[in-house]
Amino acid sequence: MTTSQVFKALTIAGSDSGGGAGIQADLKTFQELGVFGMSAITAITAQNTLGVQAVYPMSAEAVTAQIHSIGEDIGTDAVKTGMLFSADIIQAVAEQIRHYRWNQVVIDPVMIAKGGASLLQQEAITALLTHLLPLATVITPNVPEAEELTGLTIHSVEDKKEAARILSGYGAKVVIIKGGHDAHPEESVDLLYDGEAFHTFVGTRIPTKNTHGTGCTFSSAIAAELAKGSDVIDAVHTAKQYIQAAIEHQLEIGHGHGPTNHWAYRSQAMAANRDQGGVPIV
């Protein structure tokens, strides 16, 4: 394999000491999907399946230095942002993305942890809308995050569509309103808006509390596929399959909201390959 054949993705996000979300989830996902992963840490959290016990943010200068190190040497085929914490960090990240002209950017607007802890300062929301969304290839809010970003109350599909239109108006090329918080007992429906048309991605709802890091994992799977050259629709389709497998095949780790299973998608592919008489995937 030559250097030109190595696909790369950079996650700019917080560190989850419990390993289920943040850069840990992102790097696991990149690896499982065949992409070389790099990271710029925005904050260190003391965190487990029971919640977030403490958050220690990095300075904007420290985040900039990490991104600069990647940009000046290795480069990247896609960028994924997660927990950015403050307006200063968001502005610094946007400046670096513009500077290096990175044009495959997936934004997961991480705001609230599963346990309810706030992971984004209030003044940072304006910075995210004005500085980062115009650079976004894809933004992936769940319903509470979409409500926070748009000021809407979302109860219906039409509400989702209106929220998507508003976020698209800030410059994001594609908006995905995730369906994890929907009331439907059997399905989770993600709504994608590309500025012209709406598309839906349907998954079977799994009754489980082990969903820690689903948003990080889904968005980083999209970034990995974009890094490999997929278009957005195909990238989201693969990411949906990836997160569905990760939720279905539970690990049962911890005493609270456990993490998803990042190797489940590859394990399924290996099993299918064996059933078809193929050579085992390594």
Side-chain angles (χ1 to χ4, degrees):
M1 177 177 288
T2 64
T3 302
S4 62
Q5 294 173 306
V6 176
F7 302 109
K8 305 178 292 292
L10 168 64
T11 170
I12 306 172
S15 170
D16 172 5
S17 56
I23 63 161
Q24 286 83 352
D26 299 338
L27 293 174
K28 291 172 188 176
T29 302
F30 293 161
Q31 182 78 11
E32 290 295 319
L33 290 172
V35 173
F36 181 79
M38 302 160 289
S39 64
I41 298 175
T42 59
I44 296 171
T45 68
Q47 185 174 171
N48 53 30
T49 67
L50 298 174
V52 179
Q53 289 78 48
V55 178
Y56 303 95
M58 305 294 287
S59 67
E61 291 77 11
V63 175
T64 296
Q66 293 174 80
I67 300 171
H68 182 72
S69 291
I70 302 302
E72 290 299 303
D73 178 31
I74 304 170
T76 190
D77 299 302
V79 176
K80 179 259 169 153
T81 70
M83 172 188 172
L84 298 177
F85 188 75
S86 70
D88 287 346
I89 290 176
I90 289 171
Q91 291 180 43
V93 169
E95 287 171 4
Q96 291 301 301
I97 290 173
R98 285 195 299 267
H99 175 74
Y100 290 107
R101 299 180 181 178
W102 291 328
N103 58 11
Q104 297 283 26
V105 180
V106 179
I107 296 172
D108 180 21
V110 178
M111 295 183 178
I112 301 171
K114 280 289 186 293
S118 176
L119 299 176
L120 185 68
Q121 293 180 329
Q122 189 63 37
E123 62 267 25
I125 294 175
T126 299
L128 189 149
L129 291 170
T130 57
H131 294 288
L132 210 49
L133 254 65
L135 305 175
T137 307
V138 184
I139 182 172
T140 62
N142 58 30
V143 167
E145 290 163 348
E147 289 180 331
E148 194 73 34
L149 289 169
T150 63
L152 299 178
T153 299
I154 299 174
H155 292 304
S156 66
V157 173
E158 287 306 314
D159 293 338
K160 277 188 179 182
K161 288 182 175 180
E162 181 59 24
R165 292 188 190 100
I166 290 173
L167 293 174
S168 178
Y170 282 99
K173 294 181 180 67
V174 173
V175 179
I176 302 171
I177 310 291
K178 295 177 293 191
H181 289 77
D182 291 347
H184 197 291
E186 298 179 356
E187 295 180 342
S188 172
V189 181
D190 299 334
L191 179 72
L192 182 151
Y193 179 58
D194 62 10
E196 296 181 357
F198 291 94
H199 308 265
T200 56
F201 298 82
V202 181
T204 301
R205 187 175 296 279
I206 308 300
T208 177
K209 65 177 182 177
N210 298 319
T211 56
H212 180 54
T214 51
C216 303
T217 300
F218 177 67
S219 56
S220 56
I222 295 173
E225 292 303 302
L226 292 177
K228 289 153 62 176
S230 296
D231 63 30
V232 172
I233 296 295
D234 287 343
V236 174
H237 179 71
T238 298
K240 187 70 173 177
Q241 292 180 318
Y242 184 91
I243 193 60
Q244 186 73 32
I247 295 172
E248 285 181 358
H249 300 275
Q250 300 176 43
L251 297 174
E252 300 293 350
I253 291 175
H255 297 89
H257 294 285
T260 63
N261 183 345
H262 289 93
W263 61 76
Y265 180 79
R266 181 163 56 92
S267 295
Q268 282 186 338
M270 292 173 67
N273 190 57
R274 285 195 299 270
D275 290 343
Q276 295 169 8
V279 177
I281 300 171
V282 294

